[in-house]
Amino acid sequence: MSGIHLQHLHPPFELAKGKTLSRFLHYLPGPCVFHIPGKNRSQCRIIVTLLHGNEPSGLKALHRLLNEDFIPEVETKFIIASVAAAKTEPLFSHRMLPGQADLNRCFGKDIKDLQHQLAQAIEAQIRGFSPQAVVDMHNTSGSGPAFCVSTQATEQHLALASHFSHRMILTPIRLGAIMEQELGGPIITVEAGGAQDEVADRVAYNGLISFLSAKDVFVSKQHVEQLKMPRRVELSEGCDIAYADVPLADKAVTLHKDIEKYNFGETPEGTALGWINNNNLNALSLDGDANLLTRWFRVERNQLMTKCPLKLFMITTNADIAKSDCLFYVVED
Ligand SMILES: [Zn+2]
């Protein structure tokens, strides 16, 4: 049993009504569950958001829905996770608090620290609701279009994704994320777009209206393109990275400052992505699979080039995130 308890919030939600977003955030008591009554009380849909404190689109959508007295089709629970990280100044700038583990890498693990206990409490709470469907709402760190992520591509998962985006990434990678867990109903992760982008807030809000208003949530809203089996390009141990227009002598890897422009687009064979000081691929690793790395990339006169047509996504230009998470995801185009 987890030692962390989620706070429960019920109507009339005075903490949100007529309040600014930052006021609303400050009134949140910590990790909590909003219980929003639906027209049909026999089913339940769940939204988990703010697993990362710097990804506000889901919370902004909740704030707006509460202010509009939105009535969902079925019982709706919003689980708000990393409240303390989000509240830490500057607001919505901390993925997690310094020194803590990334909450969305803590699911499904039997570890006793606070972040893992919070993950366990959220998981247990979701299972307790016996949800029809679960949506885990995020933002990407860089700018870019919305997409969904799932570990399964059943009709149900694709239909859930179709409320939010026409793209779904099907990933076999296991990191300890909530979407990898067995929760009693299908779960997808939604990446609404960049945390700073207004369009991401609209995607989150409109998608949630669609998801929560649907009589049958598993009726598809649009065709969803699947991107299968992406790999993560990571920095090797001890290597540093920067983003610039010229190679930096003191960094193992320098990527072009505008590398985000390749997000979900086509990256043809022979595209120069940046520079590698040592003139080989040792500074990079690809989910530990060196064979794919050398099939997809080469280094020529210190330039990092694509060796075949690729599709890159979730590209970051934040060196800290590149170092602690990954540079980007990639599939063969
Ligand atoms: Zn996130």
Side-chain angles (χ1 to χ4, degrees):
M1 198 50 208
S2 164
I4 285 192
H5 294 282
L6 305 174
Q7 306 278 330
H8 293 267
L9 300 161
H10 297 271
F13 304 121
E14 296 299 343
L15 78 175
K17 298 275 177 67
K19 311 294 190 301
T20 62
L21 179 73
S22 65
R23 193 124 282 229
F24 173 50
L25 173 63
H26 280 292
Y27 285 146
L28 294 180
C32 56
V33 187
F34 283 78
H35 298 258
I36 306 177
K39 294 176 201 159
N40 167 0
R41 316 287 302 249
S42 68
Q43 294 280 2
C44 169
R45 296 174 197 163
I46 298 179
I47 298 96
V48 181
T49 198
L50 219 61
L51 280 180
H52 295 138
N54 59 345
E55 299 176 6
S57 286
L59 188 75
K60 287 183 184 172
L62 170 64
H63 177 247
R64 189 166 161 193
L65 292 172
L66 295 177
N67 272 287
E68 290 169 349
D69 289 316
F70 174 75
I71 300 173
E73 187 59 29
V74 303
E75 290 294 283
T76 297
K77 317 291 183 190
F78 271 82
I79 300 179
I80 313 297
S82 297
V83 174
K87 276 182 187 179
T88 302
E89 296 281 350
L91 299 185
F92 297 118
S93 67
H94 292 77
R95 185 176 173 94
M96 57 270 186
L97 289 175
Q100 287 194 342
D102 182 330
L103 184 55
N104 207 25
R105 301 287 179 267
C106 293
F107 288 87
K109 297 177 185 170
D110 189 22
I111 300 174
K112 298 279 176 261
D113 69 26
L114 279 182
Q115 289 290 82
H116 287 86
Q117 284 187 32
L118 176 55
Q120 287 155 20
I122 290 170
E123 224 182 298
Q125 184 67 77
I126 293 173
R127 279 202 210 93
F129 289 136
S130 303
Q132 189 181 46
V134 184
V135 166
D136 168 34
M137 176 77 72
H138 290 251
N139 292 100
T140 46
S141 52
S143 282
F147 60 95
C148 299
V149 191
S150 175
T151 57
Q152 299 176 59
T154 66
E155 291 290 316
Q156 288 194 335
H157 289 87
L158 288 164
L160 290 180
S162 75
H163 293 281
F164 298 92
S165 169
H166 61 90
R167 281 194 194 97
M168 191 169 86
I169 293 162
L170 188 59
T171 175
I173 302 168
R174 293 290 183 274
L175 301 167
I178 191 170
M179 66 163 183
E180 299 159 16
Q181 311 309 313
E182 203 47 68
L183 298 169
I187 175 169
I188 59 159
T189 287
V190 175
E191 296 282 355
Q196 324 294 336
D197 299 344
E198 258 175 56
V199 61
D201 298 340
R202 284 201 297 279
V203 166
Y205 173 81
N206 291 333
L208 286 174
I209 292 275
S210 173
F211 171 67
L212 295 174
S213 304
K215 278 223 184 314
D216 181 350
V217 78
F218 298 121
V219 172
S220 178
K221 295 284 176 180
Q222 60 183 326
H223 175 72
V224 175
E225 175 199 4
Q226 293 179 55
L227 296 159
K228 290 180 183 157
M229 312 290 259
R231 311 309 312 188
R232 291 157 54 89
V233 175
E234 299 169 2
L235 270 185
S236 299
E237 230 10 73
C239 290
D240 228 336
I241 187 166
Y243 295 85
D245 299 322
V246 291
L248 301 186
D250 62 335
K251 304 289 179 192
V253 179
T254 308
L255 293 186
H256 285 290
K257 239 170 30 188
D258 62 352
I259 186 164
E260 280 181 336
K261 72 182 178 198
Y262 296 114
N263 246 329
F264 286 108
E266 282 167 28
T267 308
E269 178 190 342
T271 305
L273 300 175
W275 300 268
I276 298 193
N277 261 350
N278 282 342
N279 203 34
N280 60 46
L281 286 170
N282 293 348
L284 302 178
S285 59
L286 199 122
D287 284 322
D289 189 341
N291 292 331
L292 278 178
L293 191 67
T294 51
R295 190 164 100 195
W296 289 346
F297 301 98
R298 64 191 161 89
V299 184
E300 194 183 295
R301 274 175 283 148
N302 293 95
Q303 287 218 69
L304 174 64
M305 318 277 286
T306 57
K307 223 170 149 180
C308 62
L310 297 174
K311 193 170 257 189
L312 275 50
F313 48 92
M314 286 193 84
I315 304 169
T316 186
T317 51
N318 179 321
D320 290 335
I321 290 170
K323 234 179 137 169
S324 64
D325 194 28
C326 70
L327 280 55
F328 49 78
Y329 287 69
V330 58
V331 291
E332 228 169 287
D333 199 12

